[in-house]
Amino acid sequence: MIEAKNIHKIFKDLHAVKGIDLTVEDGQVLCIIGPSGSGKSTLLRCLNGLEEKDEGEVFVDGVKADESNITALRQKMTMVFQNFNLFSHLSVLDNITLSPIKVKGIEKEEAEAKAIELLKLVGLEDKKDDFPRSLSGGQKQRIAIARALAMDPEIILFDEPTSALDPEMVGEVLDVMNNLAKEGMSMIVVTHEMGFAREVADKVIFMAEGMIVEEGTPDEIFNHPKMERTKTFLEKVL
Amino acid sequence: MGVYVTGFLMALKGLPMTLFVSLLAVAIGASFGLLLAFMKMSKKVFPRVISKAYIEIIRGTPMIVQALIFAYGIPILLQGLGVPFKWPVLLIPAIIVCGGNSAAYMAEVIRGGLQSVDPGQIEACYSLGMTKRQANRYVILPQAFKIVTPSFGNEFITLIKETSVLAYCGVVETLRSAQLWNANTFETFAAYIGAALVYLAVTYPLSKVVAKMEKKMSEGAA
Ligand SMILES: Nc1ncnc2c1ncn2[C@@H]1O[C@H](COP(=O)(O)OP(=O)(O)OP(=O)(O)O)[C@@H](O)[C@H]1O
Ligand SMILES: [Mg+2]
């Protein structure tokens, strides 16, 4: 379970995130939607400390994140990036096993066996010896998801995982995420894929200008939005 | 014709020493240069200032002057202070100077390499629970190293030529070997042409190899 209270982030003269609260229970999927520049990525990055927040608290399984434990807590909330960020000098298998071996101290054989299982899960076991540069965007992102899963996280943070993909590759990545959700993986997904949010999310947050404008179930947000701001946004994107 | 062949062969006798000093200097330069690069990128002022001052001093003075100071100046200074100091072999100050010199140049190259690694790679490390040290060791340094390998090759080539200043500091390397033969035979032109050809015979193929590495690198990045 992850809980955030009153998160603020200020870049020089820009108040990018203005006091956000959120909770994701075990097994839940939270989707965050909103216009470009509304602070979605910044919020996500404040949760795992990639961005230093100016105010607020983050709890992972009840443990308050601070400078001393954030490295350990990140193992429990791994992240999948828009641009994949696969380690370019490592093979697919090494990409997946690096952190389990070096951070968690898992034996190489065990880590590799697990990596193969995860590759099967994302449908890419035949790519284990390839290097990232030889993969398509959709394949890269599926490997990145396998890499995030290899740490056995409590929750995975996704920042627009399909936005950098050619349209025909979006589906294969969303399918993997959909399966993860069904298996009970907790996720926070920043996304422009309204179809995915509607279908998979337990809860949807609509953000604008650094604030939560409206939150609720997918049915509440997509079918019965209360706020004018939400309605205009949805009209534009749907 | 025979005299030129002899000149070449005489200079060639010094080549192993030239290569030995150059290789060691590259190794020292790479490791010490890495340290200087990290110091220069440090958040703390003190290491930054030290590193910057070192690089400025080394780059702002000719290597032959540095070599003369180390080989001959420092023992005299220490003896004047009552310390009975003498280099056991002049090869030691020679390697210190060449390595220290190389480090100052490589520090900049390595820093450039480290900074050219995509910040997304570092974030990926952090997002998987790695510490800064782990990220550096397993991801950033290997990637930076790949980027700067051709520069290490170029530095090696430069050192092969620059170590000729050691001829004036008591190290019998390629140029010194030629000089010694010249002193005995007065075949001055053949001696120095011989030395030049020895340097060229090494640096030319090496530069081709480095160029190939650079080409491969830029293709790999694309
Ligand atoms: N490192 C930074 N320094 C300064 N300003 C930043 C920084 N990162 C983000 N911002 C600004 O903060 C605001 C929120 O950015 P953020 O990337 O969180 O938006 P977003 O909702 O993720 O947008 P998008 O849908 O385009 O990804 C933007 O105005 C952005 O320009
Ligand atoms: Mg974003």
Side-chain angles (χ1 to χ4, degrees), chain A residues 86 91-97 111-130 135 138-150 176 180:
Chain A
L86 291 180
S91 71
V92 163
L93 194 67
D94 290 341
N95 259 278
I96 300 174
T97 58
E112 290 188 346
K114 168 132 199 243
I116 303 280
E117 285 309 307
L118 291 170
L119 282 171
K120 280 184 189 150
L121 187 77
V122 300
L124 290 171
E125 66 266 39
D126 56 326
K127 298 288 182 195
K128 72 179 171 65
D129 297 318
D130 288 20
L135 303 173
Q139 290 170 337
K140 280 184 196 166
Q141 196 59 299
R142 286 188 279 157
I143 303 292
I145 294 173
R147 182 176 70 172
L149 282 168
V176 168
L180 285 182

Side-chain angles (χ1 to χ4, degrees), chain B residues 70-71 74-76 78-79 82-88:
Chain B
F70 261 76
I74 285 179
I76 296 291
L78 291 174
Q79 283 158 28
V83 187
F85 178 82
K86 195 170 169 290
W87 295 110

Side-chain angles (χ1 to χ4, degrees), chain A residues 108-202:
Chain A
K108 190 166 185 253
E109 292 76 41
E110 192 188 332
E112 290 188 346
K114 168 132 199 243
I116 303 280
E117 285 309 307
L118 291 170
L119 282 171
K120 280 184 189 150
L121 187 77
V122 300
L124 290 171
E125 66 266 39
D126 56 326
K127 298 288 182 195
K128 72 179 171 65
D129 297 318
D130 288 20
F131 279 79
R133 64 175 165 276
S134 69
L135 303 173
S136 73
Q139 290 170 337
K140 280 184 196 166
Q141 196 59 299
R142 286 188 279 157
I143 303 292
I145 294 173
R147 182 176 70 172
L149 282 168
M151 292 302 283
D152 268 329
E154 303 279 327
I155 186 165
I156 303 182
L157 313 177
F158 292 85
D159 190 3
E160 297 196 29
T162 57
S163 293
L165 301 178
D166 292 336
E168 71 271 19
M169 289 171 188
V170 170
E172 65 193 60
V173 172
L174 292 182
D175 283 347
V176 168
M177 292 170 63
N178 208 334
N179 286 336
L180 285 182
K182 279 189 195 132
E183 307 252 314
M185 187 76 223
S186 312
M187 311 197 255
I188 300 180
V189 187
V190 172
T191 186
H192 290 300
E193 295 293 331
M194 296 305 148
F196 176 82
R198 193 193 282 260
E199 193 183 333
V200 179
D202 297 292

Side-chain angles (χ1 to χ4, degrees), chain A residues 9-17 32-45 51 82 159-160 163 190-192 207 210:
Chain A
K9 176 68 198 179
I10 301 166
F11 294 112
K12 282 202 186 107
D13 48 2
L14 180 85
H15 201 156
V17 176
I32 302 176
I33 60 172
S36 185
S38 54
K40 307 180 296 295
S41 299
T42 307
L43 170 63
L44 210 58
R45 294 159 56 82
E51 207 72 74
Q82 184 173 347
D159 190 3
E160 297 196 29
S163 293
V190 172
T191 186
H192 290 300
M207 255 180 96

Side-chain angles (χ1 to χ4, degrees), chain B residues 12 15 19 156-157 160 197-207:
Chain B
L12 194 61
L15 183 61
L19 293 177
F156 182 50
I157 294 169
I160 289 172
L197 289 174
V198 168
Y199 284 114
L200 195 61
V202 181
T203 56
Y204 182 74
L206 273 178
S207 66

Side-chain angles (χ1 to χ4, degrees), chain A residues 45 48 50 71 74-75 77-79 81 85-90 98-99 102-103 133 147-148 151, chain B residues 118-131 134 137-140 142-143 146 220 222:
Chain A
R45 294 159 56 82
N48 72 351
L50 282 185
T71 304
R74 281 183 189 135
Q75 299 175 40
M77 47 172 169
T78 50
M79 189 164 189
F81 301 86
N85 294 339
L86 291 180
F87 303 131
S88 56
H89 65 303
L90 296 179
L98 180 67
S99 231
K102 301 300 181 191
V103 176
R133 64 175 165 276
R147 182 176 70 172
M151 292 302 283
Chain B
D118 174 9
Q121 299 278 312
I122 303 167
E123 296 203 330
C125 292
Y126 290 162
S127 79
L128 293 164
M130 285 189 222
T131 59
Q134 288 168 328
R137 172 147 173 219
Y138 300 118
V139 176
I140 311 310
Q143 292 192 16
K146 257 192 168 168

